Amino acid sequence: MKRKSDKEKRELFTAALQGKNIPILTLDNKWYRLMDAEAREDVKEIEEEMNELLKRQGRLNTESRDIKKLKKKLMSEIVTMVDEAGDHPTSAQTKKIEQHKKTIEESNVKLEEYEDELLDLPKQIDQLNIRLMLDTMEYCYALMQENTEQIQETAKWVTKIRIELKKRLIKKQELEQKNHAVYSYMHDLLGADIADMFDLEYNPEEQHPVMPKQEDSQKQEQGEKADKEDKRDKNE
């Protein structure tokens, strides 16, 4: 199979991502299980930049909520101070009210800045996430290609071993049958004592017994019984 060029793969992967709702990879446990520390070395810069943007986004959201709470508190205090001051506020009351108003104005400016940045951050995060996803897809593609080659190589090895194993099993059976025949011949010709001389590493009594001793005794008894019956029939 012809391998795709890096450009072809990138274009193919980019097209495949169109319209896909991709989760933030650096927040996805499945991504970390797939991309171990070694695999993430090639995307370390993108990963770190992504995490910094996510942290920044989290800080801005937290600070925005805190500023809004502060604004609400200051406005409530201004209402209270105005009511207490009435038509003739003291200089201290006026000063405090003005300080509260100034803080509220500063808070509004900061909130506006935060809101602008919070509108832009998701775009930056999404762009980085797509880059990270493309690099992840390239890694997965290369990994699967490498694994496929090893799978095919292993499959060939297994097939070869199976054939060799089958041949060796047949050879083993042939050798065992030959040993059994030799032992049986020597046993029948010379007796068990002489045959036992061959039991150095091969034990036919355990591996290929010629005949169990119990069966020998039974057959011997049956033979003796048959001889007695034959003699009795002749005498009659």
Side-chain angles (χ1 to χ4, degrees):
M1 182 176 67
K2 183 181 178 182
R3 287 181 178 271
K4 296 181 178 63
S5 66
D6 291 341
K7 183 179 179 182
E8 288 175 329
K9 285 187 293 184
R10 199 78 176 182
E11 291 175 352
L12 181 65
F13 297 155
T14 302
L17 292 178
Q18 297 301 315
K20 301 294 183 183
N21 186 19
I22 305 169
I24 302 300
L25 298 182
T26 58
L27 301 178
D28 186 1
N29 288 330
K30 291 181 180 179
W31 184 75
Y32 282 101
R33 287 199 292 270
L34 174 66
M35 302 285 288
D36 57 22
E38 182 178 356
R40 294 201 310 275
E41 278 297 317
D42 293 335
V43 294
K44 188 174 182 180
E45 289 184 8
I46 300 177
E47 180 187 1
E48 290 177 350
E49 187 177 352
M50 172 80 82
N51 288 333
E52 285 301 317
L53 288 179
L54 290 170
K55 289 177 184 177
R56 176 64 179 167
Q57 187 181 49
R59 284 196 299 269
L60 291 180
N61 282 323
T62 300
E63 290 180 18
S64 294
R65 286 194 296 269
D66 292 342
I67 291 173
K68 288 176 181 179
K69 288 179 182 179
L70 176 62
K71 271 185 59 180
K72 185 176 181 180
K73 178 176 176 293
L74 292 174
M75 291 175 71
S76 177
E77 289 178 357
I78 288 176
V79 171
T80 301
M81 285 189 291
V82 170
D83 289 342
E84 290 176 352
D87 295 334
H88 305 285
T90 64
S91 59
Q93 289 174 325
T94 302
K95 184 177 180 182
K96 192 169 185 181
I97 290 172
E98 291 302 319
Q99 286 177 341
H100 274 45
K101 288 181 178 179
K102 183 179 180 181
T103 304
I104 290 173
E105 290 175 0
E106 291 173 349
S107 297
N108 287 334
V109 172
K110 191 164 287 294
L111 275 175
E112 189 175 343
E113 292 175 354
Y114 283 3
E115 286 172 0
D116 289 342
E117 190 172 353
L118 283 170
L119 284 174
D120 188 53
L121 275 173
K123 299 175 185 177
Q124 296 181 46
I125 291 171
D126 187 55
Q127 290 173 354
L128 278 178
N129 200 46
I130 290 175
R131 284 177 57 193
L132 192 57
M133 187 70 249
L134 288 170
D135 288 343
T136 300
M137 291 172 74
E138 287 187 3
Y139 166 78
C140 291
Y141 180 88
L143 179 65
M144 291 181 70
Q145 286 284 336
E146 182 181 347
N147 287 348
T148 298
E149 290 175 0
Q150 292 188 26
I151 288 169
Q152 292 172 346
E153 183 181 341
T154 302
K156 290 178 182 178
W157 180 84
V158 169
T159 300
K160 183 179 178 181
I161 289 298
R162 282 176 177 167
I163 294 172
E164 181 64 23
L165 178 62
K166 187 175 181 180
K167 289 179 180 179
R168 286 179 177 268
L169 285 173
I170 292 173
K171 182 66 175 178
K172 174 178 175 288
Q173 291 173 352
E174 291 174 350
L175 294 173
E176 288 173 343
Q177 289 171 0
K178 184 66 175 178
N179 270 6
H180 185 276
V182 170
Y183 182 84
S184 296
Y185 173 76
M186 299 300 293
H187 185 281
D188 294 341
L189 184 66
L190 302 173
D193 292 342
I194 300 300
D196 286 344
M197 293 172 59
F198 294 90
D199 293 348
L200 299 176
E201 294 182 1
Y202 176 81
N203 190 340
E205 290 297 333
E206 293 180 0
Q207 300 182 37
H208 299 284
V210 177
M211 186 182 297
K213 294 181 180 179
Q214 186 177 358
E215 291 183 10
D216 288 345
S217 300
Q218 289 176 351
K219 291 196 174 186
Q220 185 176 356
E221 290 176 0
Q222 290 174 358
E224 292 175 354
K225 185 177 180 181
D227 290 340
K228 289 179 182 179
E229 289 177 355
D230 288 340
K231 290 179 180 178
R232 187 174 61 247
D233 291 340
K234 288 178 182 180
N235 292 333
E236 291 177 354

